[in-house]
Amino acid sequence: MTLRRLSTKLNQMKLNIVLAHPQIPQNTGNVARTCAATGGSLHLIKPMGFELDDAKMKRAGLDYWGKLSVTVYEGFDDFFEKTFDNDGEYWFYETRSPTNYSDVEYKNNAYLIFGREDKGLPEELLQKYRDRCLKIPMRAGLRSLNMSNSVAVGVYEVLRQWGFPQLTG
């Protein structure tokens, strides 16, 4: 592959960040800001603990809302129905996985899926996709990182593997 073709391919890489049933508007606003800053697409799965026009969420995302792609789904069935056949890979972030987030290779159109802040992802989903579950290592005895921090860790690992396409500085 020529350098020009590789450059074009990297500029077309797509990253998807999925928040399933988010409850805290400020977290979603912070994730939206991360998506805008990195070129990731934000996917929100209902039900959510707030409305999209919530002032706290808007404030956390500041003026970034016009600079990102946001898709809202009515539930997991709607999400999988609309995204399954688009050559994307699903990765489910959860604290009990044996696999570290940095131990996998992320391909184009990856979907990083994070559960609600207080409960995580549904157990039946984690069982169905057990080989696609990832964890962020941390000290024993603690529940988890803040969701928006976890998203940032995952996003930047994917972008590091891809050579930080379209990012500067």
Side-chain angles (χ1 to χ4, degrees):
M1 182 177 292
T2 67
L3 187 57
R4 180 181 168 111
R5 289 172 95 190
L6 177 61
S7 175
T8 300
K9 182 179 179 187
L10 287 175
N11 286 333
Q12 295 173 349
M13 300 295 274
K14 182 172 178 166
L15 177 58
N16 301 282
I17 293 78
V18 182
L19 303 183
H21 315 304
Q23 299 298 299
I24 302 172
Q26 295 92 328
N27 280 341
T28 300
N30 289 334
V31 171
R33 190 172 181 164
T34 298
C35 290
T38 60
S41 296
L42 179 59
H43 302 262
L44 302 172
I45 300 176
K46 291 181 177 180
M48 298 185 293
F50 53 87
E51 296 296 323
L52 284 180
D53 60 356
D54 188 295
K56 293 174 189 163
M57 184 184 65
K58 294 286 189 183
R59 190 169 30 255
L62 296 173
D63 57 349
Y64 290 87
W65 285 99
K67 296 176 173 54
L68 74 149
S69 168
V70 180
T71 306
V72 179
Y73 303 90
E74 293 302 315
F76 273 109
D77 290 342
D78 186 35
F79 168 73
F80 287 121
E81 181 181 307
K82 291 178 177 167
T83 62
F84 188 74
D85 287 331
N86 64 3
D87 295 326
E89 288 186 324
Y90 301 125
W91 294 103
F92 301 85
Y93 279 67
E94 70 101 14
T95 58
R96 297 177 314 253
S97 173
T99 306
N100 289 336
Y101 75 101
S102 57
D103 291 344
V104 299
E105 178 184 344
Y106 297 93
K107 295 185 172 64
N108 184 32
N109 208 25
Y111 286 86
L112 309 186
I113 303 171
F114 299 84
R116 69 184 262 176
E117 294 92 339
D118 59 344
K119 295 183 180 179
L121 291 164
E123 190 61 35
E124 62 273 7
L125 198 63
L126 297 175
Q127 291 303 318
K128 181 177 180 179
Y129 293 99
R130 196 75 203 140
D131 62 331
R132 311 295 292 166
C133 291
L134 306 173
K135 71 175 176 188
I136 298 172
M138 52 187 278
R139 290 175 46 206
L142 301 173
R143 284 190 323 242
S144 64
L145 295 173
N146 173 278
M147 181 189 60
S148 62
N149 292 334
S150 297
V151 169
V153 168
V155 165
Y156 274 92
E157 172 59 18
V158 173
L159 296 175
R160 182 196 66 78
Q161 288 185 18
W162 293 355
F164 298 104
Q166 301 177 353
L167 302 183
T168 61

